[in-house]
Amino acid sequence: MNLTLKVWRQSGPDDEGKLVRYQIEDVSPDMSFLEMLDVLNERLILAGDDPVAFDHDCREGICGMCSMMIDGVAHGPQKNTTTCQLHMRHYNDGDTIVIEPWRARPFPVVKDLVVDRSAFDRIIQAGGFISVPAGSAPDAHATPVPKLDADDAFDAATCIGCGACVAACPNGSASLFTAAKITHLGLLPQGQPERGSRARAMVEQMDEEGFGGCTNTGECTAVCPKGIPLDTIARMNSDYLRASRKSG
Amino acid sequence: MAVSGAVLVFFLVAHMAGNLKIFAGAESFNGYAAWLREVGYPLLPHRGLLTLLEAGLVVAIGAHMWSAIVLTRRAAHARPVKYAAKVKSRANGYATRTMRWGGVIIFFFVIYHLLDMTFGVTNPEGHDATPFARMVAGFEPARWYITVFYVISVVMVGLHLRHGLWSALQTLGVARRYPVLKASAAVVSGLLTIGFLVVPLAITFGVVK
Amino acid sequence: MNYRLGEPIKDTKAPEGPIEDRWEKRKFSARLVNPANKRKINVIVVGTGLAGGSAAATLGELGYKVKSFCYQDSPRRAHSIAAQGGINAAKNYRGDGDSIYRLFYDTVKGGDFRARESNVYRLAQVSVNIIDQAVAQGVPFAREYGGLLDTRSFGGAQVSRTFYARGQTGQQLLLGAYSALERQIAAGTVEMHTRHEMLELIISDGRARGVVVRDMVSGEVETHLADAVVLATGGYGNVFFLSTNAKGCNTTAIWRAHQKGAVFANPCYTQIHPTCIPVSGDYQSKLTLMSESLRNDGRVWVPVKGGDTRPVAEIPEDERDYYLERIYPAFGNLVPRDIASRAAKNICDEGRGVGPGGLGVYLDFADAIGRLGRDAVEKKYGNLFEMYERITGEDPYTQPMRIYPAVHYTMGGLWVDYDLQSSVPGLFVIGEANFSDHGANRLGASALMQGLADGYFVLPTTIGDYLADAHKFGAPDDTAVAEAEIAVRNRIDKLLSVNGTRTADSFHRELGKLMWDYCGMERTEEGLRKALERIPELRAEFWRDVKVSGVNEELNQALERAGRVADFFDLAELMCLDALHRTESCGGHFRAESQDADGEALRDDEAFAYVAAWESTPDGPVLHKEDLEYEYVKMTQRSYK
């Protein structure tokens, strides 16, 4: 099939950036979306042009590096799917596809489709951990964990940190990302000692980074490749409010 | 947002219950209006509790609007560069997407509503008539367009509630079991909408005269 | 390419005595660093996967000043994250007869008797602590209704010792290490450098003293100095271009270290995973692994006649060849990875493969669905079926999956001693980047175990012994530092100045194909010689004709790739040389010349019970042999008939 791509090109953080149109021919329906861009890039390199910079690594939907807004939808049209797992059979000959980077103030564009998501790392630094130095752990069976809690914790823990939630949120909020970690650790007995301080510190860091506020639109969970549920945000709010009440 | 919204929800429930008294006849309705002004007297001054409640409402509305403005500004700040492609909503929720503009429309509706029913400025019966008379006059069949305006606005309020109700619980951190919660929010906001709509419709269609 | 035989090499750090006491002894004999001094000691850790992430975090906890580097935008993205199956540990929570000794035994045997006993025993010992550590960190392992940890048996093990977190064990363990690392970053003990790629090792006065890295955003070439350097940069499976590795995985860090004197061991040991989704076209950029557990219920077959392009439904039962069940009646579809892989290759070489290019075999669930019902199959494999459908557009419930083997893991790597120190003092190598614990073949669910054992428990102890002398090291020699930096700049300039007509990726594809054909699942003397002839030609062509657009001073992904491909050429050559010299078959190295009458791999313990450690010299490679002695596990030949 033949396609028209409109790709966001921006040489650096200070550049204005604009959409640039490319024609691409003979796209196989079995190609992944990124392989289609590889083909475009090979052509650009040979022509001496700058290839389109985009983040990607594992290409199997787990590292969370790929990050494209495709026709106004984070990670494109297929539900629960990262950009790298999206295949071209979802498109038809003659389609025009608009590809943009994630848009949020805390995710500044580095180049083209590459953005800086270090804000997420700083949210984790604020408290997304259980303080347990190597070698100090008790036996793994010392504390049984109810299976349902472990399963819910796992569901929240599957977050890949791609940032689609922020990209899709009309408010540019990072609540789902932050809540996923707070929920994961807050549901486990090991996470209890730091539960309150963790929620406070992470929420405050999230606000400090400049993410928007949550208005519970649910756009985040709808585009989340791992389908992190919305109740994680309720848990985050609950933990945050309780911790704030306690320490004033 | 959630706390001020909750205050307003309680007000709406009471307001609707009061409205429905119109079906019990003019005396009952007017009596209720008078009682509201005299409740607690002589322990409280005339209109004492009502003024207090009104003040509370104004504060709640103010807080609600202020929160909305803060959230909107934060959202604008968080996304300085907009997407070039039209962003497609993946979550299903017309109610959710209309919260902001819906809120603004509701605000203008409330102003008109106060001018109409409370201060009687735009009401054919004027300020000095009984509440019952003002109500009946306001929605008389000839003024069907006012009723249409009310219907649209109240439906807007219903939509606002549909998202607002469960969203408030979510913000307060007590939301769980979403299918049940969202269905309940839909039922409650539906009942409130119907409760508010039957009175003007009954008047316009001549059931209450 | 010729090589010379050098002096034997030997591990001098493993203590003598009963194997179960050696690690305790070493922990005690390793000197300690005074806490006040630790604050003054700098350690560089390159890579943030399970090994690197856990090592940097633990060194930070101990009080060292750590600098951590990764090429991704966040340490959480390292490719350990993609491991699906699980992590082995000799906890014996099931009471099914597992023990440290059994895990040790299975690992040595599974590695086809090409690993060091002392190291493997320590790995089995430490495996127990890993699970404790991970659970305490909040890793949400699967649990039973009683609240205790669930385990499963994996990769043909007869005990149930694999802990797992659905199909995302690697992700959960990595996020555990990542959160520990982020905690140390917040505490100020670890300084994180993301989007930085190591391009050179700095050696001064015979010791590893730092690295030269390129800031991948600005292009700036930076030098970072330290008292020790830890490489945790993963495997080199991407030399084959198509592999299950992440696109960014590369050999540059360990290859630069090798060129600077670190000895490279067993480069030819490559693990090939039998159940991957086949290649669909020339544009293919990577291969996706499907969990091996699929073989528990799927039946592997191809049409009896070659070139049979009928749809599956039209091929009658008697015209199907369930070849694994036919050749290996005892184990059937559950034969080990290497055997299943090679059988698929042989069938496809006969022209009986299915799908595009005839490179695939069917993995059929029709029987399982008939026997267990669709729901039961969906419950067990639903997520895998979904993944398959997403990638291929075919529904595995109604038509068989197509699978083909793919490169998955490399057992070879930089040579290290018991302390995980390479042949260059001060250069430590951990995780997949070293050669140590898996011998010629790695067991399923053992990669995660080794990475975390090295990072959380082994390296933080052993590195102290080296760093106890740090106050005597003195400042690194300025000339050595400057030379390393200039070497990096020159390479970058050279890559940018060729301005030829082919992209780095097109060279990489060609190299990968060559390696897959001649140094893949089955190797022959003839093929390897052909490859050894062709690789230098291709490399020369690369340096003559590669096209890298853009400049250094920007985010330039074309330049990054070109640099990595350049190093893959050199590595590929050494892999072929190692494969050529090892005329036996063992584990992940199958020499067609060395097989028994049934086509099984035939080891030659007399001649090859050694680690092949290659040194890079200006006059070509020098082979140092480390003889392997087996005191505890008797050498036997595998049989799965």
Side-chain angles (χ1 to χ4, degrees):
Chain A
M1 65 181 109
N2 299 329
L3 300 167
T4 304
L5 304 179
K6 288 160 114 179
V7 185
W8 186 262
R9 301 304 309 264
Q10 181 173 343
S11 63
D14 302 326
D15 182 33
E16 276 269 302
K18 59 175 190 296
L19 283 175
V20 175
R21 177 188 291 267
Y22 298 100
Q23 296 299 132
I24 180 158
E25 287 85 34
D26 295 328
V27 172
S28 155
D30 289 326
M31 274 182 183
S32 73
F33 198 86
L34 298 186
E35 284 165 351
M36 184 268 298
L37 289 177
D38 287 344
V39 171
L40 171 68
N41 277 345
E42 291 283 285
R43 201 182 79 195
L44 292 176
I45 293 171
L46 289 181
D49 293 333
D50 207 13
V52 179
F54 60 89
D55 265 333
H56 66 103
D57 202 20
C58 78
R59 296 202 178 191
E60 48 188 281
I62 194 75
C63 76
M65 194 124 171
C66 61
S67 45
M68 291 180 196
M69 199 73 172
I70 303 171
D71 287 332
V73 179
H75 287 310
Q78 202 178 11
K79 208 172 155 44
N80 296 144
T81 303
T82 53
T83 302
C84 65
Q85 293 279 280
L86 175 67
H87 281 68
M88 297 313 291
R89 64 181 72 91
H90 298 281
Y91 292 91
N92 299 310
D93 188 42
D95 281 356
T96 298
I97 308 174
V98 182
I99 311 170
E100 297 174 79
W102 291 165
R103 295 283 186 207
R105 187 182 296 271
F107 287 172
V109 172
V110 175
K111 185 181 178 183
D112 298 341
L113 304 172
V114 175
V115 298
D116 178 354
R117 285 168 286 192
S118 54
F120 272 9
D121 289 330
R122 290 189 293 274
I123 292 175
I124 298 295
Q125 280 161 32
F129 47 74
I130 291 172
S131 301
V132 50
S136 63
D139 184 83
H141 269 180
T143 316
V145 182
K147 180 174 167 55
L148 294 179
D149 287 352
D151 286 351
D152 284 351
F154 177 86
D155 285 340
T158 55
C159 169
I160 59 175
C162 63
C165 45
V166 174
C169 177
N171 301 310
S173 168
S175 286
L176 194 68
F177 168 79
T178 310
K181 188 48 68 188
I182 289 174
T183 300
H184 158 212
L185 298 177
L187 277 171
L188 297 169
Q190 299 89 323
Q192 297 313 308
E194 294 166 295
R195 185 170 165 186
S197 58
R198 172 187 309 121
R200 269 194 82 162
M202 290 180 74
V203 169
E204 277 156 19
Q205 184 65 38
M206 168 177 85
D207 290 345
E208 197 173 299
E209 295 289 345
F211 290 105
C214 176
T215 60
N216 307 314
T217 64
E219 298 293 345
C220 49
T221 186
V223 298
C224 175
K226 296 293 159 191
I228 304 286
L230 214 52
D231 65 1
T232 54
I233 296 182
R235 288 181 195 279
M236 168 175 80
N237 291 339
S238 161
D239 283 3
Y240 177 73
L241 291 173
R242 193 177 311 139
S244 306
R245 272 203 305 275
K246 262 192 198 156
S247 49
Chain B
M1 198 101 227
V3 174
S4 56
V7 170
L8 295 172
V9 170
F10 285 119
F11 162 71
L12 284 178
V13 172
H15 185 3
M16 182 191 72
N19 282 2
L20 290 176
K21 280 193 172 288
I22 204 155
F23 291 106
E27 282 93 280
S28 170
F29 189 72
N30 288 336
Y32 162 68
W35 172 79
L36 270 181
R37 283 154 184 78
E38 300 307 329
V39 65
Y41 189 80
L43 187 65
L44 297 169
H46 177 70
R47 267 190 128 265
L49 185 67
L50 191 62
T51 309
L52 215 64
L53 286 174
E54 282 170 351
L57 272 182
V58 169
V59 170
I61 291 172
H64 203 67
M65 284 169 51
W66 183 74
S67 312
I69 291 166
V70 168
L71 275 169
T72 310
R73 289 184 56 165
R74 272 184 68 186
H77 182 80
R79 181 159 297 136
V81 182
K82 305 278 174 256
Y83 290 107
K86 187 176 157 31
V87 175
K88 287 184 199 136
S89 171
R90 304 293 280 181
N92 31 14
Y94 181 74
T96 313
R97 288 199 297 282
T98 51
M99 287 306 272
R100 245 162 229 162
W101 282 111
V104 172
I105 291 169
I106 291 167
F107 176 69
F108 286 116
F109 163 70
V110 168
I111 290 176
Y112 175 80
H113 180 57
L114 289 173
L115 290 176
D116 187 16
M117 291 296 167
T118 309
F119 304 115
V121 178
T122 62
N123 193 282
E125 289 289 322
H127 179 259
D128 298 329
T130 63
F132 183 80
R134 278 207 298 269
M135 184 88 134
V136 172
F139 297 115
E140 63 184 8
R143 280 164 58 95
W144 58 270
Y145 49 92
I146 296 293
T147 309
V148 170
F149 171 59
Y150 263 72
V151 169
I152 294 172
S153 302
V154 170
V155 167
M156 213 66 199
V157 172
L159 284 172
H160 204 77
L161 282 175
R162 200 192 140 156
H163 176 72
L165 278 175
W166 81 263
S167 179
L169 295 177
Q170 170 88 351
T171 303
L172 295 174
V174 291
R176 300 285 186 276
R177 300 184 57 204
Y178 289 83
V180 179
L181 188 64
K182 287 191 175 181
S184 315
V187 169
V188 171
S189 49
L191 286 177
L192 273 167
T193 310
I194 293 166
F196 275 113
L197 285 182
V198 287
V199 175
L201 288 174
I203 295 169
T204 305
F205 288 103
V207 181
V208 173
K209 286 179 190 152
Chain C
M1 191 184 204
N2 290 317
Y3 68 91
R4 282 178 297 126
L5 197 61
E7 290 296 305
I9 191 168
K10 197 169 158 30
D11 166 41
T12 54
K13 304 284 177 49
E16 300 286 315
I19 197 160
E20 50 290 355
D21 299 337
R22 288 179 197 168
W23 179 227
E24 273 310 314
K25 273 193 192 163
R26 182 63 190 132
K27 276 198 282 188
F28 186 72
S29 68
R31 289 167 299 160
L32 298 174
V33 181
N34 161 347
N37 286 346
K38 277 185 188 156
R39 284 195 290 275
K40 296 181 221 147
I41 294 178
N42 294 284
V43 182
I44 284 172
V45 182
V46 187
T48 58
L50 284 180
S54 59
T58 309
L59 292 171
E61 284 162 8
L62 290 172
Y64 294 107
K65 272 171 74 180
V66 182
K67 281 187 184 178
S68 168
F69 296 86
C70 69
Y71 71 76
Q72 298 92 342
D73 72 328
S74 163
R76 65 180 293 154
R77 313 219 190 269
H79 199 55
S80 306
I81 204 152
Q84 299 171 356
I87 175 164
N88 288 329
K91 279 283 194 186
N92 193 27
Y93 280 155
R94 296 260 166 187
D96 59 358
D98 196 16
S99 62
I100 288 168
Y101 198 90
R102 189 176 296 279
L103 176 55
F104 154 70
Y105 178 89
D106 288 354
T107 306
V108 169
K109 185 170 168 235
D112 232 356
F113 301 93
R114 293 293 175 265
R116 243 184 238 148
E117 278 190 333
S118 301
N119 284 53
V120 177
Y121 196 89
R122 174 179 64 191
L123 178 66
Q125 282 175 308
V126 170
S127 71
V128 185
N129 308 113
I130 296 171
I131 301 302
D132 298 341
Q133 177 66 22
V135 165
Q137 279 173 345
V139 171
F141 284 121
R143 287 179 185 265
E144 296 178 320
Y145 280 99
L148 299 179
L149 294 165
D150 194 13
T151 52
R152 56 187 175 194
S153 84
F154 197 80
Q158 283 164 310
V159 289
S160 184
R161 65 159 78 98
T162 306
F163 295 79
Y164 65 101
R166 258 174 254 174
Q168 282 151 259
T169 319
Q171 182 200 24
Q172 293 309 315
L173 288 167
L174 182 67
L175 293 182
Y178 160 74
S179 66
L181 176 60
E182 292 296 328
R183 186 166 83 93
Q184 292 309 309
I185 294 169
T189 59
V190 179
E191 189 181 300
M192 187 70 224
H193 299 264
T194 59
R195 293 196 197 271
H196 278 69
E197 183 163 22
M198 171 181 159
L199 296 177
E200 196 57 89
L201 178 70
I202 296 171
I203 294 184
S204 161
D205 201 14
R207 297 178 187 276
R209 292 304 301 273
V211 293
V212 182
V213 296
R214 179 174 175 269
D215 177 334
M216 292 156 77
V217 174
S218 68
E220 200 175 324
V221 174
E222 306 166 359
T223 56
H224 295 266
L225 302 177
D227 297 293
V229 176
V230 180
L231 298 185
T233 52
Y236 48 86
N238 270 351
V239 68
F240 292 90
F241 187 75
L242 289 180
S243 82
T244 66
N245 285 4
K247 285 299 285 177
C249 293
N250 65 81
T251 189
T252 293
I254 57 172
W255 193 257
R256 299 280 107 213
H258 172 59
Q259 305 256 283
K260 281 282 178 90
V263 163
F264 202 122
N266 300 333
C268 78
Y269 292 159
T270 312
Q271 186 168 73
I272 303 210
H273 198 286
T275 50
C276 296
I277 300 175
V279 175
S280 67
D282 304 332
Y283 46 80
Q284 190 95 17
S285 62
K286 82 153 264 153
L287 296 170
T288 305
L289 182 132
M290 306 276 288
S291 169
E292 210 168 3
S293 61
L294 287 170
R295 286 197 284 142
N296 289 329
D297 284 302
R299 297 180 69 195
V300 176
W301 66 275
V302 290
V304 171
K305 283 195 305 267
D308 189 341
T309 52
R310 286 177 292 174
V312 169
E314 289 169 26
I315 304 178
E317 204 53 37
D318 61 351
E319 289 178 43
R320 300 179 177 194
D321 179 13
Y322 294 89
Y323 60 88
L324 286 178
E325 296 168 26
R326 174 171 57 82
I327 309 172
Y328 307 99
F331 278 72
N333 295 299
L334 290 173
V335 289
R337 288 178 177 177
D338 54 335
I339 293 181
S341 298
R342 216 161 47 239
K345 177 185 164 30
N346 292 339
I347 291 285
C348 294
D349 288 351
E350 284 171 26
R352 296 202 283 145
V354 297
L359 291 176
V361 298
Y362 289 127
L363 180 62
D364 199 336
F365 289 86
D367 280 6
I369 292 170
R371 180 162 38 94
L372 307 165
R374 192 192 149 114
D375 286 353
V377 170
E378 189 173 343
K379 223 175 206 161
K380 253 174 146 168
Y381 306 114
N383 59 340
L384 294 168
F385 278 35
E386 208 176 288
M387 180 168 85
Y388 181 84
E389 186 172 2
R390 205 174 281 159
I391 293 172
T392 62
E394 295 171 2
D395 175 15
Y397 292 103
T398 55
Q399 66 187 104
M401 284 184 180
R402 288 175 297 108
I403 55 162
Y404 199 63
V407 172
H408 169 56
Y409 188 90
T410 48
M411 278 73 68
L414 292 185
W415 182 90
V416 289
D417 61 18
Y418 190 69
D419 281 0
L420 305 179
Q421 184 168 220
S422 72
S423 55
V424 174
L427 179 69
F428 291 78
V429 190
I430 59 179
E432 191 179 346
N434 74 24
F435 89 107
S436 67
D437 300 345
H438 306 296
N441 177 47
R442 178 178 64 75
L443 293 181
S446 282
L448 304 183
M449 172 173 71
Q450 184 225 334
L452 290 178
D454 289 0
Y456 279 132
F457 298 107
V458 180
L459 174 91
T461 306
T462 57
I463 201 171
D465 187 63
Y466 175 78
L467 291 172
D469 288 332
H471 59 279
K472 299 181 202 153
F473 293 171
D477 173 32
D478 289 343
T479 331
V481 175
E483 273 172 7
E485 195 181 322
I486 289 166
V488 168
R489 287 185 196 283
N490 287 345
R491 269 169 76 81
I492 292 172
D493 290 346
K494 201 170 156 197
L495 285 167
L496 285 165
S497 66
V498 177
N499 201 15
T501 63
R502 282 181 72 180
T503 61
D505 259 17
S506 91
F507 280 105
H508 194 175
R509 268 179 210 280
E510 191 173 344
L511 174 69
K513 173 100 179 37
L514 195 69
M515 290 299 284
W516 180 247
D517 288 345
Y518 299 122
C519 197
M521 268 181 284
E522 188 173 301
R523 294 137 181 203
T524 62
E525 180 174 349
E526 190 197 349
L528 289 164
R529 286 198 188 282
K530 228 182 256 175
L532 281 169
E533 209 169 291
R534 181 66 190 130
I535 292 167
E537 292 169 11
L538 196 60
R539 176 175 42 212
E541 214 177 310
F542 172 87
W543 285 108
R544 212 170 43 235
D545 199 23
V546 72
K547 169 100 183 174
V548 182
S549 55
V551 293
N552 174 55
E553 288 72 24
E554 61 172 349
L555 188 136
N556 187 340
Q557 292 173 328
L559 177 63
E560 293 162 20
R561 281 187 204 180
R564 294 169 191 165
V565 175
D567 287 329
F568 276 132
F569 282 116
D570 298 347
L571 166 75
E573 209 174 7
L574 188 66
M575 284 173 75
C576 291
L577 180 67
D578 186 43
L580 181 66
H581 112 281
R582 191 173 281 275
T583 56
E584 66 161 353
S585 296
C586 64
H589 168 64
F590 186 84
R591 280 292 295 265
E593 300 90 342
S594 180
Q595 50 184 315
D596 65 17
D598 298 322
E600 295 304 323
L602 197 63
R603 276 200 332 261
D604 181 354
D605 292 333
E606 282 290 303
F608 289 104
Y610 64 78
V611 173
W614 298 89
E615 183 191 353
S616 168
T617 73
D619 313 323
V622 175
L623 173 63
H624 302 275
K625 295 180 182 176
E626 179 192 338
D627 284 327
L628 292 166
E629 282 151 32
Y630 291 89
E631 290 174 62
Y632 292 86
V633 187
K634 201 171 146 266
M635 290 200 193
T636 51
Q637 200 79 28
R638 297 190 308 170
S639 171
Y640 292 94
K641 286 263 161 135

